[in-house]
């Protein structure tokens, strides 16, 4: 089966550093200005997408800043011209009608460059402290399935009449509809059976957390075996990158970040206490040491420029279309990867981009 052209994206720094929270090379900064500058830098360097994770409070440091995903995505849509903007969404937080209306608005602001990433949530405290029901794992996916069924019809411009366990709509029609294509793209992530089944039924792109190539290949094979009513499913991979001139230099930087991440043990323990233990990705992450979130360095993108490019090509050959990457320190490494690894992937070397250092928010 042919694989779509390789695309490279970057996680927006919506809640601070991804690998270690006490890194002198990456002071905490979750401000709008830092996120804006990062995404504009990424677009200028030739990155294809950015993922704006959604949390109402910082999932690592609840007393620290957290960017709001959907208002930020609307602003990014107006400021950018090429990069795809993917905003995460947790169904319990927005009624389908409200979310679909926002999605269509941002889609039209961006002129057809908007997508959303459906996530069914793991941070129990984020909901319970607000008095919002937080169902058990499979209940959340059942809710999410009904939710996306309604949203998908609304963003297609259909008049929706629906009566289900959670929602009831009568002749609901949103205008203006999508002015640029049939509807915004839908991403979905998760590792459980309900997540895979929902991806096969409703998503355009399935996001896989960073894992070794053989595990990712198995994921892709499983999803490709499932019946589809939509076009063939595409695949994305989250990964933390440490690329240097030599493998030794990359390993030294890995050790630096790992040592700094060890200082965050109490933060990670508190986060674990707020996390639904039935989330499959938590069990996957426990299998190996890593730095970074959403699988981080488990995908193996740590090494020389040539090694990292070779591993990315191997994932691409296995079916990964979009690589959603993390870096630390973000501004410097975002530029380094574009200058050194892009050409090794057959992409044009980007122009030198002036690095913008935003003030901490």
């Amino acid at each position: 089966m042919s694989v779509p052209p390789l695309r490279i994206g970057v996680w927006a720094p919506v809640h601070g550093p991804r690998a270690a929270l006490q890194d002198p090379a990456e002071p905490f900064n979750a401000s709008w200005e830092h996120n804006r500058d990062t995404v504009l830098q990424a677009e200028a360097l030739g990155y294809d997408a950015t993922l704006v994770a959604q949390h109402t409070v910082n999932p690592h440091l609840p007393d620290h800043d957290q960017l709001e995903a959907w208002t930020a995505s609307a602003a990014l849509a107006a400021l950018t011209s090429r990069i795809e903007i993917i905003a995460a969404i947790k169904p319990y937080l927005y009624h389908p009608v409200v979310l679909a209306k926002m999605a269509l608005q941002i889609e039209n602001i961006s002129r057809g460059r908007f997508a959303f990433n459906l996530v069914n949530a793991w941070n129990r405290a984020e909901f319970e402290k607000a008095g919002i029901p937080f169902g058990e794992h499979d209940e959340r996916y059942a809710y999410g399935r009904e939710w996306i069924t309604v949203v998908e019809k609304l963003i297609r411009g259909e008049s929706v009449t629906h009566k289900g366990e959670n929602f009831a709509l009568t002749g609901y029609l949103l205008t203006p509809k999508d002015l640029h294509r049939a509807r915004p793209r839908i991403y979905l992530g998760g590792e459980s059976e309900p997540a895979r089944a929902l991806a096969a039924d409703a998503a355009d792109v399935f996001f896989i957390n960073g894992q070794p190539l053989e595990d990712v290949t198995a994921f892709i094979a499983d999803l490709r075996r499932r019946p589809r009513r939509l076009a063939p499913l595409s695949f994305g991979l989250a990964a933390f990158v440490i690329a240097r001139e030599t493998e030794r230099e990359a390993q030294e930087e890995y050790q630096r970040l790992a040592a700094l991440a060890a200082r965050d043990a109490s933060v990670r323990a508190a986060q674990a206490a707020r996390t639904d233990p039935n989330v499959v990705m938590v069990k996957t992450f426990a299998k190996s040491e890593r730095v970074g979130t959403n699988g981080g360095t488990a995908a193996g993108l740590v090494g020389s420029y040539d090694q990292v490019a070779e591993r990315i090509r191997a994932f691409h050959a296995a079916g990964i279309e979009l690589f959603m990457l993390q870096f630390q320190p973000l501004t410097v490494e975002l530029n380094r990867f574009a200058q050194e690894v892009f050409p090794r992937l057959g992409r044009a070397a980007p122009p030198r981009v002036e690095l913008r250092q935003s003030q901490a928010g």
Side-chain angles (χ1 to χ4, degrees):
M1 182 176 293
S2 62
V3 181
L6 183 151
R7 297 195 298 143
I8 304 290
V10 61
W11 289 70
V14 297
H15 47 60
R18 286 278 171 181
L21 299 172
Q22 302 178 57
D23 184 357
E26 181 83 294
F28 180 90
N29 190 349
S31 68
W32 155 247
E33 290 79 8
H34 182 40
N35 279 268
R36 175 200 64 200
D37 291 350
T38 297
V39 174
L40 288 175
Q41 177 191 352
E43 181 173 67
L45 286 168
Y47 287 82
D48 302 297
T50 187
L51 177 56
V52 186
Q54 185 200 34
H55 300 278
T56 49
V57 294
N58 191 302
H60 310 301
L61 300 165
D63 60 343
H64 282 53
D65 292 350
Q66 171 67 50
L67 192 77
E68 200 290 304
W70 281 65
T71 51
S73 293
L76 291 170
L79 292 173
T80 55
S81 61
R82 186 189 56 79
I83 198 168
E84 182 182 32
I85 299 160
I86 309 167
I89 183 66
K90 300 169 186 173
Y92 278 126
L93 297 179
Y94 288 93
H95 190 281
V97 166
V98 177
L99 185 282
K101 183 64 175 178
M102 292 195 298
L104 286 171
Q105 183 71 47
I106 302 174
E107 167 79 349
N108 288 332
I109 292 171
S110 71
R111 297 181 178 270
R113 293 180 290 112
F114 182 65
F116 61 90
N117 179 33
L118 178 63
V119 293
N120 278 285
W122 51 264
N123 188 354
R124 185 181 297 274
E126 179 179 17
F127 294 82
E128 292 182 343
K129 286 187 175 183
I132 300 171
F134 187 77
E136 294 303 316
H137 181 275
D138 288 4
E139 293 174 2
R140 296 199 302 278
Y141 273 97
Y143 184 97
R145 177 176 286 275
E146 183 180 353
W147 185 94
I148 193 61
T149 297
V150 175
V151 167
E152 201 269 346
K153 293 177 181 178
L154 288 168
I155 62 177
R156 281 192 180 276
E158 297 181 16
S159 176
V160 178
T161 295
H162 171 91
K163 185 170 180 59
E165 185 175 346
N166 301 290
F167 306 109
L169 287 74
T170 303
Y172 219 104
L173 176 67
L174 296 178
T175 58
K177 64 179 183 178
D178 194 324
L179 304 177
H180 304 280
R181 51 184 170 170
R183 61 161 173 75
R185 186 177 289 158
I186 298 172
Y187 289 75
L188 191 143
E191 299 183 22
S192 66
E193 174 55 31
R196 299 182 194 210
L198 185 55
D201 289 343
D204 302 306
V205 184
F206 183 61
F207 260 139
I208 302 171
N209 286 312
Q211 297 181 43
L213 177 60
E214 57 269 26
D215 295 337
V216 170
T217 301
F219 261 108
I220 292 172
D222 175 63
L223 267 294
R224 282 180 170 168
R225 284 193 294 266
R226 298 174 185 241
R228 288 275 291 174
R229 64 176 179 85
L230 304 171
L233 191 64
S234 295
F235 298 90
L237 180 72
F240 192 99
V241 176
I242 303 175
R244 293 292 187 275
E245 189 68 38
T246 67
E247 182 178 11
R248 179 178 177 180
E249 290 174 302
Q251 289 298 328
E252 288 173 350
E253 176 62 7
Y254 174 87
Q255 293 303 326
R256 184 188 79 86
L257 289 172
L260 287 168
R263 300 180 187 177
D264 302 328
S266 61
V267 174
R268 305 302 180 201
Q271 180 180 324
R274 299 190 296 269
T275 300
D276 179 357
N278 294 314
V279 173
V280 177
M281 73 173 183
V282 175
K283 301 172 184 177
T284 300
F285 296 167
K287 294 178 181 179
S288 63
E289 295 296 324
R290 66 197 69 202
V291 298
T293 66
N294 296 84
T297 53
L301 302 188
V302 178
S304 70
Y305 302 135
D306 288 335
Q307 288 173 325
V308 169
E310 181 181 356
R311 290 165 189 164
I312 288 174
R313 285 195 295 268
F315 278 113
H316 185 231
I320 296 297
E321 170 210 0
L322 175 62
F323 294 82
M324 193 57 65
L325 304 181
Q326 303 172 6
F327 305 94
Q328 188 169 332
L330 177 55
T331 299
V332 173
E333 296 303 319
L334 187 70
N335 187 69
R336 182 201 300 271
F337 185 88
Q339 300 295 341
E340 299 292 349
V341 182
F342 274 15
R344 289 169 166 86
L345 294 172
R347 300 166 69 103
R352 290 286 173 181
V353 175
E354 181 181 354
L355 306 185
R356 303 177 66 175
Q357 297 290 345
S358 306
Q359 297 298 312

